[in-house]
Amino acid sequence: MADQSEWLVEMRGIHMEGRSDETWTPIIKGVDLTLKRGEVLGLIGESGAGKSTLGLAAMGFTRDGVRISQGSVTFDGIDLISASAETKRQLLGKRIAYVAQSAAASFNPAHRLIDQHAEAPVQHGVKRRSEAEADAVDLYRKLRLPNPDEIGFRYPHQVSGGQLQRAMTAMAMACRPDLIIFDEPTTALDVTTQIEVLAAIREIVAEFDTAAIYITHDLAVVAQMADRIKVLLKGDEVEEAETRQMLSNPQQDYTKSLWAVREFQRPQKPAPAVDATPVVSVQGVTAAYGKIDVLHDVSFDIHQGRTVAVVGESGSGKSTTARCITGLLPPRKGQIELDGAALPLDYRNRSKEQLRQVQMIYQMADTALNPRQTIGEIIGRPVEFYMGLRGGARRKRVEDLLEQIELPASQYIDRLPSELSGGQKQRIGIARALAAEPKFIICDEVTSALDQLVAEGILRLLARLQDELKLSYMFITHDLATVKSIADEVVVMKDGVVVELGPKTEMFTPPHHAYTDLLLSSVPDMDPDWLTRLLAERGIENIGDAAVGKMH
Amino acid sequence: MASVLKIILQRLALGLLTLLVVSMVIFGAVNLLPGDFAQAILGQGATQEAVEAIRDEIGLNDPFFKRYFDWLGALATGDLGVSYAQMMFATGMGGTTELIPITTQIAPRFYNTMFLAGLTALIAVPVSLLIGVLAALYRGSVFDRVANIFTLSSISSPEFFLAYILILFLAVQGQMLPSLAAVEVGMPLGARIYNSLLPALTLTLVVTAHMMRMTRAAIINLLASPYIEMARLKGVRPMRVIVKHALPNALAPIINVIALNLAYLITGVVVVEVVFTYPGIGNLFVDAVQNRDIPVVQVCCLIFAAAYILLNLTADILSIVTNPRLRHPK
């Protein structure tokens, strides 16, 4: 047991509750958390595990409708539970700072970056306005933001997401705090942007010897950042250990299962026959929003019973390609073939039979299901529309479909979407697509919004359905781990152009196209030395977006 | 900024179009009114010949569309016409007196109405914003509840009732302010303000509730947003969080409600003007309707319509200008 004064943050027996409908339900059920000066603690768990709630509690802060019901929080000898609002306010921003998940939402749209940066130091009387501004430019330079002298004078909407995330880290550093809480700072970013932000955060935290609590659900990320890792599950601590020990030798079953998620791999299928007719063939498609072309001459084939993963960063044209195939966005040039026959470009001109063959599953199951309809109605609608079944036959079919997606029909058929978990909702989305008995399904980032364990369940289900029903998938994703586990062929897109295309095994074996190489190299490994090694190999200027910039 | 200018010009053109449509509606509606000026001025015992003679003289027997386009044409050249009452008065004097056009008749009234509206706005807008901000800051507190109850009961009471209550306390018992709002041309500003203060206070009570509640609601709506949480986590003072971080982003809905209420101050003040015998447009309007003095009614309606259109236009433009995304494009 360390000496009391050694702890910068000491949380003991923390119980927290959240209010729903006038009753208080526990969120955190007795967690201890301690942090030394200059130490980085990784806090990981699935969504709903209470990571952010606990992280904020370390600042003595609770969101509306949340309270600390038991336990103590001490920061550098100051009891934050009994401290007055004014005492806590004096600490926040000055000695304890916060970096939020979405920098785009957490910067005030009405003020320039540098005004927001200078606010804390000026308000707390740490620096004068001019000093704070000069320091901001200094920090921007340290974090390798482009045009450090000028970027602070822009409004948040004029700056990209990755840059905002670094500007927010700079803002947290403004008063040189003793502790920073990083709340999923890279979750919303593309891999190439993430790696830059990670490198920047790690460097600056080390330079100023700042203690940090790094909250994330991504194990590989936390492995790069943290000295110690604490695993949370539904408000309980599962285990805590030094990073290396945790990675090499996890003790608890839950932790082991988290580690194992990335093991799921489908074997590569043998190549399709040379003369086989593809189920879907995208041929020379160029499409535009308004007058600006966003897809340029995109071509690829999808064969029966196979999965083509389309990967690329946000804005690379993955979803636009899907919109062209479904006919929602008629291409300007090129054509889409289904079983060797050209499809009308506009979905309005397609026959019901043609529409039936192409179905979609969406990223946000939450918003893709009508909240006012029961599961039976949601799945029954395409059953009736495409297959013409009514009454008892329709109900029978819906029940079969629910069995197929591993949800007992008797329990779920009359529920509303709001009564299901995220993973279950996504299964309903799959059942709805299956109801049309299609040949081809477009899966648009279907696992991105889910926790790793749940996502794996969905991937396994999709794989099983593919084998049973000879389905073809176009799998849109930005997550290369997902690609590795389920794809047969891979299409890499960048700026609306296909940059590389081929079987999975080829894609993951060098030599790659330069961009594919960059994407692959930007995905963090579960190895604590990965980032250090990558930086040593390539140099700070040759990773992430900086390297993408050099490709033009 | 060029895009903002384009939007302004577009809205102005649309406003003119709206005004044209309104002019048709007004002209049509006024013509649907039962009875006309001739009947109204001659009374029930009038002979058919006398009524016809007056109708001929003031052009009431012309076809509907001819009258409309004559009126519209005159309007376009800035000629608002002459009130029927003026015409009859002039004929009665043997045609020797000069005709006073409506423009001259309305101008001082218009000025008085704008003065009262302006004075009320100067009091009501800052007060409502301040109460709204404080209510948002101390939401759920005694102050918040008292402010809500007070403004809601004042907006729920009839205007004349509020007016008499104020007269009772401030004029009769308090003897601080005059109960008759007598203003004249050429009065010094101070005396003018003093004389108009009671009607202005009455109107303030009427319009404060909307603006204050919208300010409060718009700010509270934003308090859950991540950038407000961020400001709190930077240790910014609660008052500063609201004024500096929430208010600038809440301006658009607030501005719109303010514009609606200012329009009300110009168009809806009839009752208050009558209670205080304030010589504004509302008073003139009521007289004109009673006398079926159609030219005056039409011009008043047009002024009201124009006030609504202009204020809403201003609100739209201000909402755009307060949005940093539009002021500072990428």
Side-chain angles (χ1 to χ4, degrees), chain A residues 56 59 61 63 89 92-93 96 98 105-111 116 119-120 123-124 155 157-158 168 171, chain B residues 139 226-238 240 244-246 248-249 324-325 327-330:
Chain A
L56 287 170
M59 310 176 72
F61 183 88
R63 292 201 166 117
R89 195 181 66 68
L92 290 178
I96 313 175
Y98 180 72
S106 297
F107 270 113
N108 192 326
H111 302 294
Q116 303 191 44
E119 185 171 24
Q123 290 296 310
H124 287 298
Y155 285 84
H157 69 272
Q158 297 169 315
M168 177 157 284
M171 185 161 87
Chain B
R139 63 191 176 288
Y227 58 81
I228 298 296
E229 183 176 283
M230 192 70 214
R232 289 203 185 120
L233 290 174
K234 284 198 301 191
V236 176
R237 282 191 184 80
R240 190 177 157 91
K244 186 94 183 175
H245 289 273
N249 293 293
R325 282 168 200 275
R327 255 187 308 142
H328 308 277
K330 286 195 180 187

Side-chain angles (χ1 to χ4, degrees), chain A residues 11-13 63 93 99 148 175 192 211 256 274 340 346 362 414 422 454 520 524 548:
Chain A
M11 301 170 81
R12 296 285 173 203
R63 292 201 166 117
V99 175
C175 296
T192 52
K256 285 177 193 161
V274 184
D346 192 326
Y362 300 88
D414 292 321
V454 182
L520 288 173
V548 176

Side-chain angles (χ1 to χ4, degrees), chain A residues 12 45 90 164-165 197 202 207 235-236 246-247 308 315 351 436-437 469 494 521:
Chain A
R12 296 285 173 203
Q90 293 290 349
L164 276 182
Q165 203 58 265
V197 175
R202 207 173 67 162
E207 178 171 346
D236 278 317
M246 183 72 106
L247 289 173
V308 171
S351 69
E437 299 179 21
L469 305 170
K494 177 174 183 288
S521 69

Side-chain angles (χ1 to χ4, degrees), chain A residues 31-98:
Chain A
V31 173
D32 289 350
L33 185 153
T34 49
L35 191 66
K36 282 180 245 169
R37 283 176 194 281
E39 185 187 37
V40 178
L41 173 72
L43 209 52
I44 69 167
E46 300 176 7
S47 57
K51 312 181 293 282
S52 294
T53 313
L54 190 64
L56 287 170
M59 310 176 72
F61 183 88
T62 53
R63 292 201 166 117
D64 280 348
V66 178
R67 68 178 183 195
I68 300 173
S69 54
Q70 274 180 56
S72 66
V73 181
T74 319
F75 172 80
D76 200 18
I78 305 163
D79 177 4
L80 291 184
I81 301 276
S82 61
S84 70
E86 185 59 22
T87 316
K88 283 194 277 188
R89 195 181 66 68
Q90 293 290 349
L91 290 174
L92 290 178
K94 187 173 170 186
R95 300 196 55 201
I96 313 175
Y98 180 72

Side-chain angles (χ1 to χ4, degrees), chain B residues 206-288:
Chain B
V206 178
V207 296
T208 300
H210 268 153
M211 296 192 279
M212 167 260 163
R213 286 178 64 82
M214 182 49 92
T215 307
R216 178 182 180 277
I219 289 177
I220 287 179
N221 206 8
L222 288 179
L223 289 185
S225 50
Y227 58 81
I228 298 296
E229 183 176 283
M230 192 70 214
R232 289 203 185 120
L233 290 174
K234 284 198 301 191
V236 176
R237 282 191 184 80
M239 188 66 181
R240 190 177 157 91
V241 168
I242 294 217
V243 174
K244 186 94 183 175
H245 289 273
L247 192 58
N249 293 293
L251 280 179
I254 299 174
I255 287 171
N256 273 298
V257 168
I258 291 180
L260 267 184
N261 279 289
L262 293 187
Y264 169 81
L265 286 180
I266 296 173
T267 61
V269 293
V270 178
V271 175
V272 173
E273 284 189 2
V274 171
V275 171
F276 293 99
T277 60
Y278 186 84
I281 284 191
N283 249 334
L284 181 70
F285 183 60
V286 171
D287 288 347

